[in-house]
Amino acid sequence: MSTGFKVVSLILVLADLFFCIGIAVKTRKKSNNTEEYFIGGKRVGTILLTLSAWASFSGAGNFIGQSGRGAMYGISAYWLYLGEGLFGGLLIGFIIAPYLARFKYMSMPHYISGYLAGGDTVIRRIGGFAALMPNAVWPASQIMGVSYVIEMVFGFDYRISVVVCGAVFIAYTTLGGVKAVIYADALHGIIQMLFAASVIFFGLKMMNFSFGWLEDTVKSIDASHWDLFTDKPFTIISGFLTGLVGATSNPIFWNRAFAAKDVKTARKAYGITFFFNILLVFLVITIGIATWIYNQEAGDYAMVWAILNKMPPYVGILLSIGVLAACLSCADTHLNCAAANIVTDIIDPEEKLNPVKAVKYAKISTLCVGIFAIFAGLFAQSIYSIGTYGYTVCGGVLIPTFIIGLVYRDRNSEEFRSKMSVTAIKIGMVAGVLTALVFEIVPSLYAIFGGGVIPAIVVTSIGIVGSNIFMKDQTWI
């Protein structure tokens, strides 16, 4: 990229960062309680929700991480996509989100404890810990994504980029809460649409707009790169399930649905968002595979390399501002959700804190998780390696709890009534969290199932249903 294009890119990046800080200053005093700070008083309309949802859901994982997976793993990268992007997207976008918009909860654990477990605070705390995992690690992956780009485009030190970009999104998310996040994401959503359209067009042009050409060329270099079944069956199933439960349990999808002003709003906004998101991720992985043909060492940098080396210079300008928009909008949403987990789910599920103190704690929590994200961004191996770890703990525990709790609940009663023991839910969730962590951390156990998601789902489900046979303390209360 020429010096002139780099200057223009840098100006746009700085303008975006200053815009985000400006929004924070404008909104810093408008959140006087946790409901305003975390779900915007449940007044978000269709246009803002659509732009915010698109921006929040299309972060570094979709633009940078998925193309990197395509370059590294070939078409076997589609297993995670089938679970996360396709089936997960269809479920959350067209079924779960409109359903959740009926409620006025502040987080997924708030819903599980309040609607499925009679308001039990212990269950809310356990769920808060599980949901905190992806919310704490995904901001780090977003910082990694934008820092990759800044390093390759401008030559700035990766570590400095992590710290600077991390500091900006921490600042405006902390000061303005979800209102600052939504307004910033609205701008970022528009930027991302322009960026995505350009990247997809020139990315497909890079492969001559032909999937047949792509298949033949990849096979001529390395046939295993065009083999869906190169991994062990358990590894394939684990990748699919990690994506599926990760998408359907992703806390930012739930929190945005709770912020929607009504069911109709959520149905429109999520339907539009996930229709395009499903298409986008499929094509981004394909472009990553095509990039591998030209540079087999690109790895996690595949998308950035392709834009800088195989696309017109102006796409390079969109690269910096587009990835910045994608990363900040995803990072700020996860950061806001993480603070909700810490304050409303873990610290104060009884809602005893006065509004002023609760918002103060929310801002402190946002700052602390943001600092953690910066350190994680400095040392993590790849964008998706850190993101899927959070998916495993959250999805492997909360999705089985959600499904089982919903099946056993008497949904015709306005008050809580269930055939499921609250004690049994506690036992299953604790066992599931511990199992997920052990199978993710211990290498020999990780190798058995390709991660902790399968054991977590099985243990959580058996723990809840099995314990319920002996625990009748809360049945039909």
Side-chain angles (χ1 to χ4, degrees), residues 27 96 100 151 243 302 317 321 332 400 424:
T27 57
I96 297 177
L100 294 176
E151 181 181 45
I317 295 177
I321 189 65
D332 57 22

Side-chain angles (χ1 to χ4, degrees), residues 283-341:
L283 294 175
V284 164
I285 294 174
T286 304
I287 293 169
I289 297 172
T291 302
W292 175 84
I293 293 173
Y294 297 98
N295 181 0
Q296 294 165 33
E297 304 298 325
D300 222 21
Y301 293 81
M303 179 61 76
V304 181
W305 185 90
I307 292 172
L308 294 179
N309 293 276
K310 291 294 180 178
M311 299 185 189
Y314 85 85
V315 183
I317 295 177
L318 289 176
L319 167 66
S320 302
I321 189 65
V323 172
L324 179 72
C327 294
L328 290 186
S329 56
C330 187
D332 57 22
T333 306
H334 274 293
L335 196 58
N336 184 255
C337 291
N341 295 141

Side-chain angles (χ1 to χ4, degrees), residues 178-255:
V178 77
K179 291 182 180 179
V181 168
I182 287 176
Y183 286 123
D185 289 356
L187 170 67
H188 290 156
I190 295 171
I191 293 172
Q192 286 174 239
M193 289 176 186
L194 296 173
F195 175 58
S198 299
V199 166
I200 289 172
F201 176 81
F202 288 106
L204 294 178
K205 185 178 180 181
M206 188 173 67
M207 49 182 270
N208 300 321
F209 297 99
S210 171
F211 284 88
W213 177 90
L214 181 66
E215 177 182 359
D216 293 341
T217 307
V218 168
K219 285 182 176 179
S220 68
I221 299 173
D222 183 353
S224 67
H225 224 59
W226 201 265
D227 185 354
L228 272 172
F229 301 97
T230 54
D231 293 320
K232 296 184 296 183
F234 269 128
T235 302
I236 292 172
I237 295 171
S238 181
F240 174 83
L241 288 177
T242 298
L244 179 62
V245 300
T248 51
S249 70
N250 193 325
I252 67 174
F253 298 165
W254 287 61
N255 285 46

Side-chain angles (χ1 to χ4, degrees), residues 29-308:
K29 295 182 179 179
K30 293 185 178 182
S31 297
N32 52 19
N33 58 58
T34 52
E35 186 178 299
E36 292 286 342
Y37 194 84
F38 294 125
I39 61 172
K42 196 170 177 60
R43 295 188 299 272
V44 182
T46 303
I47 295 176
L48 269 181
L49 186 63
T50 301
L51 290 173
S52 176
W54 167 259
S56 299
F57 306 163
S58 301
N62 281 359
F63 282 108
I64 308 298
Q66 290 284 18
S67 60
R69 294 186 70 256
M72 290 185 286
Y73 307 122
I75 63 172
S76 63
Y78 285 117
W79 285 116
L80 182 68
Y81 161 76
L82 288 174
E84 179 188 30
L86 183 57
F87 290 101
L90 291 173
L91 284 173
I92 194 72
F94 297 94
I95 299 175
I96 297 177
Y99 163 77
L100 294 176
R102 298 164 45 196
F103 304 98
K104 198 176 183 179
Y105 293 111
M106 285 184 281
S107 67
M108 185 180 187
H110 190 189
Y111 163 87
I112 288 175
S113 67
Y115 188 71
L116 303 179
D120 187 88
T121 56
V122 174
I123 288 176
R124 189 169 176 182
R125 285 190 168 101
I126 299 170
F129 172 78
L132 179 62
M133 297 299 290
N135 283 330
V137 298
W138 269 115
S141 70
Q142 306 310 311
I143 297 173
M144 292 171 65
V146 72
S147 298
Y148 283 172
V149 173
I150 290 175
E151 181 181 45
M152 292 188 72
V153 173
F154 304 114
F156 296 159
D157 186 272
Y158 172 82
R159 293 164 295 183
I160 294 175
S161 300
V162 168
V163 174
V164 171
C165 293
V168 171
F169 94 83
I170 291 170
Y172 75 80
T173 307
T174 301
L175 288 173
V178 77
K179 291 182 180 179
V181 168
I182 287 176
Y183 286 123
D185 289 356
L187 170 67
H188 290 156
I190 295 171
I191 293 172
Q192 286 174 239
M193 289 176 186
L194 296 173
F195 175 58
S198 299
V199 166
I200 289 172
F201 176 81
F202 288 106
L204 294 178
K205 185 178 180 181
M206 188 173 67
M207 49 182 270
N208 300 321
F209 297 99
S210 171
F211 284 88
W213 177 90
L214 181 66
E215 177 182 359
D216 293 341
T217 307
V218 168
K219 285 182 176 179
S220 68
I221 299 173
D222 183 353
S224 67
H225 224 59
W226 201 265
D227 185 354
L228 272 172
F229 301 97
T230 54
D231 293 320
K232 296 184 296 183
F234 269 128
T235 302
I236 292 172
I237 295 171
S238 181
F240 174 83
L241 288 177
T242 298
L244 179 62
V245 300
T248 51
S249 70
N250 193 325
I252 67 174
F253 298 165
W254 287 61
N255 285 46
R256 277 293 179 275
F258 292 138
K261 69 177 183 180
D262 53 38
V263 173
K264 184 178 180 181
T265 296
R267 184 176 291 114
K268 286 182 179 179
Y270 274 68
I272 293 169
T273 296
F274 277 92
F275 173 80
F276 287 107
N277 196 61
I278 288 169
L279 181 62
L280 168 72
V281 176
F282 174 83
L283 294 175
V284 164
I285 294 174
T286 304
I287 293 169
I289 297 172
T291 302
W292 175 84
I293 293 173
Y294 297 98
N295 181 0
Q296 294 165 33
E297 304 298 325
D300 222 21
Y301 293 81
M303 179 61 76
V304 181
W305 185 90
I307 292 172
L308 294 179

Side-chain angles (χ1 to χ4, degrees), residues 382-428:
S382 71
I383 289 173
Y384 254 82
S385 67
I386 189 170
T388 53
Y389 179 82
Y391 269 180
T392 297
V393 179
C394 180
V397 175
L398 295 188
I399 289 301
T401 305
F402 166 58
I403 295 173
I404 294 170
L406 203 59
V407 168
Y408 278 82
R409 192 188 194 282
D410 177 11
R411 282 165 284 173
N412 295 320
S413 173
E414 292 185 6
E415 296 182 0
F416 172 73
R417 286 166 56 86
S418 178
K419 292 181 180 179
M420 178 57 62
S421 162
V422 171
T423 303
I425 296 176
K426 294 176 187 177
I427 292 172

Side-chain angles (χ1 to χ4, degrees), residues 33-35 37-38 106-107 124-125 128 132 335-366 369:
N33 58 58
T34 52
E35 186 178 299
Y37 194 84
F38 294 125
M106 285 184 281
S107 67
R124 189 169 176 182
R125 285 190 168 101
L132 179 62
L335 196 58
N336 184 255
C337 291
N341 295 141
I342 294 172
V343 177
T344 67
D345 296 328
I346 298 173
I347 295 177
D348 186 38
E350 299 92 348
E351 300 179 13
K352 293 181 179 180
L353 289 174
N354 66 63
V356 174
K357 184 171 287 187
V359 172
K360 179 181 178 181
Y361 283 2
K363 292 182 177 181
I364 294 172
S365 299
T366 305
V369 176

